[in-house]
Amino acid sequence: MGLHLKDKSIGLVLSGGGVRGMAHIGAIRALEEYGISAQIVSGSSVGALVGALYANRTPIADMLSFFKETPLFRYDFFTIVKPGLVDTERYMDVFQKYFPLRFDALQRELFVVATNMQKGEEEFFHEGELLRPLLASAALPPVFSPLEINNCFYADGGIMNNFPLEPLRNKVEFVIGSNVSVIKQVAKKEINSSLQLATRTTSLMIYAINRHKISQCDLIFEPEELEKIGVLDKKSIEKAYVIGYDHAARKLEDLTVHHTSS
């Protein structure tokens, strides 16, 4: 597989999905073990954060540390003067320890999608200041307040584009996708409360909107086991990472065997 892709330009798409996004880190580890490296990365929400760490060539262990050590809900970050429960702006200092200040300081090309809440449009960020677009892309309403950029409010990229394939079209020869907003068949007992119904409905809507783009990838990682992990369940960081690694490693092994035998 590594040999097969050696001379091709590769793009990597990373979906949103909260804590399930740790599976992206597992997939990246598996790709590295097979000698596969992307030149361009496009991410939404948690996928934008993982994508930025990858574009900065952050080691796998440090990627996991970032998510383990960055608190989702710090009581001193709560706000009553902004829309949202948590003031996203307060994370700027935390992010400065892990990310450069500008896109052009990254070692891989990165695209980050965020939602312009006033215009009702998705927007891609690719150059200039890095930290605010990154924070905005992961600012899931109504928990996190939107970020102000160029006089407009921006929030989670996954609201309008949870699988941002678009920037990679016609730019690379081979597209690898990692989608952690997975869907599988569920039993009736798993849709027996209003919250479960709302969660399932949202998941189905997000998947339906992005299904066509997911099918356009040359290689896609979609571990179904992730559906058991809550989007904000920080205790499952390691579990989601292992699920992502095992799934990607199995898929890459199968492809290698198939490629060798053919």
Side-chain angles (χ1 to χ4, degrees):
M1 183 74 179
L3 187 68
H4 178 49
L5 293 178
K6 189 175 65 172
D7 301 319
K8 290 193 174 181
S9 57
I10 298 171
L12 180 63
V13 186
L14 302 174
S15 78
V19 171
R20 296 173 183 177
M22 300 308 96
H24 294 321
I25 303 175
I28 287 169
R29 178 187 155 198
L31 288 167
E32 286 182 349
E33 288 178 358
Y34 276 80
I36 299 168
S37 175
Q39 292 79 50
I40 307 177
V41 195
S42 180
S44 179
S45 198
V46 69
L49 302 182
V50 175
L53 291 165
Y54 180 62
N56 204 34
R57 296 194 186 274
T58 304
I60 296 292
D62 293 346
M63 288 189 189
L64 285 170
S65 294
F66 167 74
F67 288 100
K68 286 175 181 173
E69 292 167 13
T70 303
L72 272 178
F73 307 110
R74 273 184 50 174
Y75 291 109
D76 54 334
F77 285 7
F78 277 81
T79 180
I80 55 170
V81 295
K82 291 185 177 181
L85 300 173
V86 179
D87 183 356
T88 309
E89 195 103 24
R90 299 290 297 277
Y91 284 91
M92 287 286 279
D93 291 344
V94 181
F95 274 39
Q96 281 181 22
K97 295 173 190 166
Y98 288 89
F99 302 103
L101 298 178
R102 299 182 62 79
F103 276 91
D104 56 17
L106 296 168
Q107 296 180 52
R108 290 180 168 97
E109 202 174 349
L110 175 69
F111 290 86
V112 168
V113 66
T115 302
N116 185 319
M117 297 297 282
Q118 288 156 263
K119 294 181 181 176
E121 295 172 356
E122 64 187 70
E123 286 184 34
F124 281 96
F125 294 85
H126 176 57
E127 54 192 11
E129 187 194 356
L130 173 64
L131 298 184
R132 294 183 81 80
L134 262 190
L135 277 167
S137 183
L140 179 68
V143 178
F144 297 97
S145 65
L147 255 284
E148 196 171 315
I149 303 173
N150 300 329
N151 253 358
C152 283
F153 277 146
Y154 288 85
D156 198 290
I159 297 167
M160 297 194 76
N161 191 341
N162 202 51
F163 194 80
L165 173 70
E166 293 84 354
L168 304 187
R169 285 195 177 121
N170 307 317
K171 290 194 81 163
V172 293
E173 297 164 284
F174 195 91
V175 176
I176 300 170
S178 179
N179 176 41
V180 298
S181 291
V182 291
I183 290 296
K184 67 173 188 177
Q185 188 169 330
V186 297
K188 275 191 287 188
K189 66 180 181 185
E190 294 176 72
I191 316 177
N192 65 1
S193 73
S194 298
L195 179 61
Q196 286 176 323
L197 179 62
T199 303
R200 179 67 173 172
T201 303
T202 304
S203 299
L204 290 172
M205 286 167 65
I206 289 171
Y207 192 74
I209 291 164
N210 294 287
R211 185 163 46 191
H212 179 61
K213 288 190 288 181
I214 290 165
S215 69
Q216 289 179 319
C217 292
D218 298 291
L219 172 61
I220 186 74
F221 301 128
E222 280 190 299
E224 285 190 351
E225 305 97 302
L226 289 173
E227 199 169 57
K228 296 174 189 157
I229 291 175
V231 173
L232 296 175
D233 178 13
K234 273 201 80 170
K235 294 193 192 79
S236 295
I237 284 177
E238 199 72 36
K239 185 179 177 184
Y241 163 71
V242 171
I243 287 171
Y245 171 74
D246 289 346
H247 175 83
R250 276 196 311 271
K251 195 143 189 185
L252 289 166
E253 186 179 355
D254 289 347
L255 284 168
T256 306
V257 170
H258 177 73
H259 177 62
T260 306
S261 61
S262 59

